[in-house]
Amino acid sequence: MDPVRPAGRTGGGRRYHAGVNRSVREGLRVTAKQDAPRLSDLMPWSVAPLRLGRSWVRSPDPAALRARWRALVAAEDTAARERLFRPSRARTLYSAVGQLPGQRTATGRLYRADGPCPEPVRIQHGPFDQQWLLPDHRLIDAARPELWRVADARQLYAVEPGRLPQPSGPAVVCAALLPDGRSPAGRPGRIHPLYRRPGGREPNLAPGLLALLARRLDRPVDPAELLAWVAASARHSPDGAVVPLTADAGVWTRGVALGERLLWLYTRGAYVPGDGPPEGCAGPGGRPRMPGGRRPYVRAALPSRGLPRTLAYDPADEALLLGDGGRISPVPQGAWDFSAGGVRVLADWFAGRTGEAEDGTATPPEAGSLAALGPADWPREWTSELLELITVLALMAELAPEQAELAAAAAAAPQLPAVELRAAGVLPPPSSARRPASVLDHHEEGPDGQFALV
């Protein structure tokens, strides 16, 4: 219906329509701030977190996984093997399943398995931990094969943590390793691969999004740049992560540069920014390292026997205290306070190796279970991993003010709200964009050695 024009004034219609246009423009500016598109629309294909079904198939120590496999196949009879395996509705010793894509594991029924241990693979566990997994489809309730099909050296992932009543930490975390999607607290999130096919082919983006951004910004935009923008600008909302999109080329360039540094930190140097790692912050292999004089070191060695039972922080000395005597410093307050998925990252990392929670409670594995087979002493590798994690968190905490400044600059600049993306036909994405792409260039072994063509 046409708007009713005020009567009784010459030129009132023109003035009225000018006022309407101003109101529309002002309304769009308000909408732009409140109607940021959701990550789930910008990167339409997403995968649910892995559902292991049994905790013993994952560990921070690969030697523990091999010991657990040996104990399983050495069980004296099928009943003993079943008690160790822990059957579920999805997996039993008699389940017939194929290989996980890209993995060379046996496919015979587990009740008669006697071969070597499947080679453990490194995965991203939760927002910031890196652990090991037995990539055997017979052992995992829901391994998400579609995720493994597109996992390679070119792939990157945006992971939406589970929703929390009071969100804390990043709204989106990124990874180069295949993520399990675990959320330490809250409901499970979603895993968004950047590419729908191996080799960095077919970006997992709403069709037309990159072209629209390129027109509005007057510069080409590639998929990795968009992911960098997501890393720098995504924020929590009741409907999941949202990503404000700027139409200002200067703000975009600034946000991409910040996001590339965040991607470098998230991936522990596996992703290299276009202009290289930040000067003074890259160690051997381009991995993150604090500048000289600020690097954390082991000031007092951890006990040579047993695992530390407590983790504490001394803010006066910027020291992380592990057990009865272990001491690492300097550890900036920002690294100690860093939270993700509703929990303190360093405390969650420590609990994943010792079973000791920050509140003093302990959750030791059941005696006689496969999960109970693990390191009795603190491995040297864990200390190196802890030092790197402290470095990553410290450097990320230092970027928080820059992220806040970017958010303010993006809010003040012209934006591309969801309403404009819908008007341009970018949103909603077609239903086909929410499904995995077919991968027809390789065979996968099915149950009991049969071949399955995907």
Side-chain angles (χ1 to χ4, degrees), residues 73-146:
V73 299
E76 59 187 14
D77 55 33
T78 302
R81 182 175 291 198
E82 190 169 68
R83 285 194 299 272
L84 291 171
F85 176 72
R86 300 293 178 88
S88 62
R89 287 191 299 175
R91 291 291 184 269
T92 72
L93 295 180
Y94 302 91
S95 296
V97 292
Q99 288 176 337
L100 281 177
Q103 304 302 312
R104 295 186 177 278
T105 52
T107 56
R109 314 297 172 97
L110 278 173
Y111 75 90
R112 61 173 183 263
D114 61 358
C117 177
E119 187 61 29
V121 297
R122 194 77 155 155
I123 64 165
Q124 183 81 17
H125 175 55
F128 284 95
D129 200 354
Q130 294 186 352
Q131 296 199 14
W132 297 88
L133 178 73
L134 290 177
D136 191 319
H137 211 179
R138 301 169 298 175
L139 306 178
I140 302 172
D141 279 9
R144 318 301 180 194
E146 64 273 31

Side-chain angles (χ1 to χ4, degrees), residues 128 169-170 333-340 343-346 393-394 396-397:
F128 284 95
Q333 183 80 46
W336 171 250
D337 289 336
F338 202 105
S339 295
V343 301
R344 193 191 304 272
V345 170
L346 286 175
L393 299 180
M396 293 192 88

Side-chain angles (χ1 to χ4, degrees), residues 212-255:
L212 177 61
L213 280 169
R215 288 196 301 272
R216 291 297 305 272
L217 297 170
D218 195 26
R219 52 160 288 177
V221 178
D222 65 38
E225 284 183 335
L226 181 58
L227 183 61
W229 175 265
V230 169
S233 66
R235 66 172 188 251
H236 295 280
S237 87
D239 296 324
V242 296
V243 183
L245 293 175
T246 185
D248 184 291
V251 174
W252 175 266
T253 300
R254 177 179 165 188

Side-chain angles (χ1 to χ4, degrees), residues 278-297:
E279 185 176 353
C281 294
R287 298 180 75 86
R289 182 174 67 179
M290 293 291 283
R294 297 171 52 209
R295 294 173 197 157
Y297 287 100

